[in-house]
Amino acid sequence: MPRPIRATIDVSALRHNLAIVRRSAPDARTYAVIKANAYGHGLLRAARAFDSSEGFAILEFDNAVRLRDAGIGKPVLLLEGFFDVQEMRTAAALGFACALHDAEQVAMLDELAAGQRLDLCIKLNTGMNRLGIPASGLSAVLEALQDHPHVGSLTLMTHFACADEERGVAEQWHRFCEATRGVALSCTAANSAAILRHPQTHGSWVRPGIMLYGASPFADVTAEALGLRPAMTLASEIIGVQALEAGDAVGYGASFVAPRPMRIGIVACGYADGYPRHAPSGTAVLVEGERTGIVGRVSMDMLCVDLTHLPAAGRGSTVILWGQGLPADEVAAAAGTISYELFCALANRVPVVERE
Ligand SMILES: *Cc1c(COP(=O)(O)O)cnc(C)c1O
C-alpha cells in the first residue's frame, strides 16, 4: 500500500464556487485566477472546471503557454505582465493580455514585430504601493499607448490592499475613479473580497481567486456562511499508535508533555507535504470524522494527534487535515497564516485525486 496521504480535489465544488462569483457579480465577466497551480488545485484541472469563465488570470508565463497548448483559446491575463522582450513577443503571438505597470514596459512595446499587437491592462497604483504606475501618471501613459501601432485593447486595472478588512476599498477606489474619470475604457479591480463586499468595484472584469477554491477571504466570515464549498481535502491515515504515561514527551524538542495518560496516533503527514510546521498543539484535525487536535511539533513526514477520547480510532483510521468538514481557514488561523498559503504549499509529493 502506498503512503496514505492524498489531496482530493472536488471539481463540482470548483464549479459551484464559480457560480457564487457569478451570482455576486452578475454584470461582470470573470478572469478566474489560476496562478500558483490554481492555488495548488492543479492548473489544467481548474481551467477545465472553470470552463464557463470568460478568461483566466495567471502569473507564470510557462503555465499560460500550457493553457494554449491544452487548446484553451480564451482571454488570458498575465498579472505581472511580461519580463523581457521574448516573453512580450510570445504574449502577443498567443494573445495574452499583459498587466503593464511601469514606463519601461511601454518603451519595450516598440520591440514587437511589425503587425504584432498586445492587449494591455494598465495597472494603477492606488495606494497599495506594490506594482503600478502612479495614478497621476495615467494620462501620459494613455497618450503613449492610445494609437500605438503595437497596442491592441486597453483596460484599466488596480488591486486592493484591504478589501477583506475593516479599512475596505473606499480610499483606493476613490483614487482610481478620480484618476480614470472620463477615460472610456473597461476596468478590472475586484479580488474575491471586493467581489463579495464591494460591488461598486466590480467593473467589467472581476478577478476571483481564493473564493473559487472554497475558502473565505475574510477573517471574520466563514466560507460556509458565504455559500462556498471546500475544493481541496487533504487526508491521510494513522500509521502508528503510542500509549503515553503522564510525563512522556512527544516528538522533536519534546515540546509536548502528556499531562495524563494519553493515546496518540501518528499521522502520515508533515511539513514536507505542505502541512504548516507552525501549527501548535490543539490545531484541529478530524479522525474518522471526529474532531481532535494535534500534539507536539509537526515533523517533516509525520504529525501526532490525540486519540485519548477516540478509543475506536487506530491504525488505518482516516485523518482529515483540512477540507471536507474542517475548513482550511480554521487550520490556517491556528497556524498563524491564511488558507491561501496552505493551498499553495501543498507539496508535489502528495498524490492528487479528482472527484467529480
Ligand atoms: C491573486 C490575485 C487576485 C485574486 O485574489 P484573491 O484574494 O485570491 O481573490 C486578484 N488580482 C490580482 C492582481 C492577484 O494577484
Side-chain angles (χ1 to χ4, degrees):
M1 195 191 85
R3 186 165 178 261
I5 191 167
R6 70 230 170 254
T8 303
I9 306 298
D10 181 343
V11 175
S12 69
L14 294 172
R15 292 186 193 280
H16 167 85
N17 296 333
L18 177 59
I20 302 283
V21 171
R22 298 280 189 207
R23 205 179 309 155
S24 309
D27 300 324
R29 284 169 286 173
T30 301
Y31 278 126
V33 179
I34 53 172
K35 62 186 175 186
N37 193 32
Y39 293 44
H41 291 67
L43 177 80
L44 295 179
R45 176 183 302 115
R48 278 193 298 270
F50 302 142
D51 61 0
S52 72
S53 86
E54 289 81 4
F56 296 112
I58 193 165
L59 207 115
E60 308 84 2
F61 200 86
D62 53 340
N63 280 343
V65 173
R66 281 176 64 202
L67 294 175
R68 291 288 185 256
D69 287 347
I72 295 165
K74 49 178 80 177
V76 169
L77 166 60
L78 289 169
L79 290 167
E80 287 181 0
F82 50 85
F83 288 87
D84 59 32
V85 169
Q86 189 49 50
E87 276 191 1
M88 179 185 68
R89 288 183 178 146
T90 309
L94 296 181
F96 299 152
C98 289
L100 178 132
H101 55 82
D102 70 17
E104 220 148 285
Q105 291 174 313
V106 177
M108 276 166 79
L109 294 171
D110 293 328
E111 312 274 331
L112 283 166
Q116 276 198 313
R117 282 180 182 273
L118 191 60
D119 296 329
L120 294 170
C121 285
I122 304 170
K123 187 161 185 184
L124 293 178
N125 173 20
T126 54
M128 188 166 183
N129 293 315
R130 209 173 52 171
L131 289 184
I133 60 167
S136 60
L138 176 62
S139 49
V141 170
L142 277 178
E143 203 161 317
L145 295 180
Q146 275 166 338
D147 307 320
H148 190 295
H150 292 308
V151 172
S153 70
L154 287 175
T155 302
L156 301 165
M157 175 177 178
T158 195
H159 191 55
F160 297 123
C162 305
D164 55 323
E165 292 181 4
E166 178 83 30
R167 181 161 172 174
V169 300
E171 208 176 314
Q172 281 192 266
W173 186 240
H174 178 73
R175 276 196 204 136
F176 184 80
C177 293
E178 286 293 302
T180 62
R181 193 201 303 275
V183 180
L185 293 175
S186 56
C187 73
T188 175
N191 57 3
S192 297
I195 289 166
L196 292 165
R197 245 180 216 174
H198 306 290
Q200 74 277 22
T201 69
H202 287 173
S204 347
W205 289 85
V206 291
R207 305 191 308 266
I210 196 68
M211 68 182 290
L212 291 175
Y213 305 102
S216 172
F218 309 114
D220 57 348
V221 185
T222 64
E224 190 179 10
L226 297 168
L228 301 169
R229 280 169 44 193
M232 179 195 292
T233 295
L234 180 63
S236 187
E237 288 180 9
I238 290 173
I239 57 172
V241 174
Q242 298 287 349
L244 306 183
E245 310 276 351
D248 284 349
V250 177
Y252 284 116
S255 68
F256 180 85
V257 177
R260 63 189 80 84
M262 287 178 81
R263 211 170 142 255
I264 62 165
I266 316 304
V267 182
C269 176
Y271 61 79
D273 300 300
Y275 194 87
R277 183 175 172 278
H278 292 287
S281 287
T283 301
V285 296
L286 299 181
V287 177
E288 295 292 357
E290 302 281 343
R291 278 176 79 98
T292 184
I294 71 168
V295 291
R297 267 189 212 158
V298 174
S299 50
M300 186 182 285
D301 312 308
M302 284 173 260
L303 55 78
C304 307
V305 297
D306 185 4
L307 301 181
T308 311
H309 61 293
L310 302 172
R315 213 167 171 287
S317 291
T318 297
V319 180
I320 289 183
L321 288 315
W322 65 68
Q324 200 66 51
L326 178 60
D329 292 316
E330 180 184 339
V331 177
T337 184
I338 52 178
S339 55
Y340 296 71
E341 191 180 9
L342 299 191
F343 295 156
C344 293
L346 182 73
N348 253 328
R349 77 178 192 182
V350 177
V352 176
V353 294
E354 200 170 302
R355 203 179 65 204
E356 275 304 320

